[in-house]
Amino acid sequence: MEIIVFHGSTRVHGNTEFLAHQAVPKEKGTHIYLRDYTVSPILDQRHDVNGFDPNEDSHQWLVDQMLAHEIIVFATPIYWYSMSGPMKTFIDRWSQILRDPAYPHFREALSKKKVYLIAVGGDTPTIKGLPLVQQFNYICQFYKMSFEGYVIGKASKPGEILQDKPALKAASLLIKEEAR
């Protein structure tokens, strides 16, 4: 099965990225680092007569990459008890794709996807990260995607994720072997 990992961290080689690579090694999937792409914030024009203005950014290309894969992994640091800004902006713009005539199949295509979440935070993340898990669960419910599982790691400083042995093990087991 084709796996794509969307990395939401702005830190190169950060803890979240390391944990995500435990779940999906570089050679086993497509890794997209949102920090390397331009995605404009959504300008809510859902109810405007003319709809959304076109954006000259990377969002449609990123969506096309997502739709070409069967399994989606969202990897994000926990920032203020939620996902990172780049991840949120990417997902917020799905509201625009829903109304884009070039993507009439968007909702149906997402309904066939399996989704996993990898999150890393420093302030008791296994408790305080649960609202983030619920947020992704709600996103999956909205699109009828199958939310398959998650791993929350504890780390703040660079390299600190190496001390969270349970998260490292859980990440390595997160995606079923037949999907790799």
Side-chain angles (χ1 to χ4, degrees):
M1 297 189 114
E2 295 282 325
I3 302 172
I4 190 165
V5 181
F6 285 99
H7 295 267
S9 181
T10 58
R11 184 188 297 165
V12 177
H13 305 300
N15 292 307
T16 307
E17 184 176 328
F18 187 88
L19 193 59
H21 286 144
Q22 300 308 297
V24 183
K26 287 182 183 182
E27 67 278 1
K28 299 286 186 174
T30 302
H31 288 263
I32 302 284
Y33 302 88
L34 293 174
R35 66 178 170 260
D36 295 337
Y37 298 90
T38 301
V39 178
S40 302
I42 190 164
L43 175 58
D44 189 353
Q45 298 172 309
R46 289 176 294 163
H47 305 291
D48 288 8
V49 174
N50 296 323
F52 286 93
D53 292 332
N55 287 67
E56 299 299 323
D57 64 7
S58 305
H59 193 256
Q60 286 185 332
W61 182 86
L62 293 167
V63 166
D64 290 341
Q65 297 305 302
M66 179 174 67
L67 295 177
H69 292 79
E70 298 169 69
I71 296 174
I72 306 166
V73 179
F74 294 103
T76 181
I78 302 171
Y79 289 160
W80 291 106
Y81 315 104
S82 188
M83 66 184 81
S84 69
M87 184 73 70
K88 181 78 167 87
T89 300
F90 172 61
I91 293 172
D92 280 350
R93 285 281 301 285
W94 293 4
S95 293
Q96 185 172 354
I97 294 293
L98 274 172
R99 288 163 177 78
D100 188 327
Y103 291 87
H105 63 289
F106 183 68
R107 184 185 294 265
E108 180 186 345
L110 285 185
S111 73
K112 298 173 183 163
K113 308 296 181 190
K114 292 182 178 182
V115 173
Y116 295 87
L117 172 65
I118 296 171
V120 176
D123 182 15
T124 55
T126 56
I127 301 298
K128 294 180 179 176
L130 292 178
L132 171 64
V133 173
Q134 191 61 54
Q135 185 177 24
F136 273 94
N137 191 26
Y138 288 146
I139 291 166
C140 289
Q141 286 176 18
F142 182 83
Y143 287 102
K144 296 183 172 56
M145 294 185 287
S146 178
F147 188 56
E148 297 286 315
Y150 67 93
V151 172
I152 298 177
K154 180 173 177 30
S156 292
K157 296 176 184 172
E160 204 170 55
I161 193 65
L162 294 171
Q163 297 171 25
D164 189 346
K165 302 296 184 199
L168 294 170
K169 182 174 182 174
S172 72
L173 301 172
L174 181 64
I175 299 174
K176 295 172 183 59
E177 199 58 42
E178 68 269 12
R180 291 183 187 208

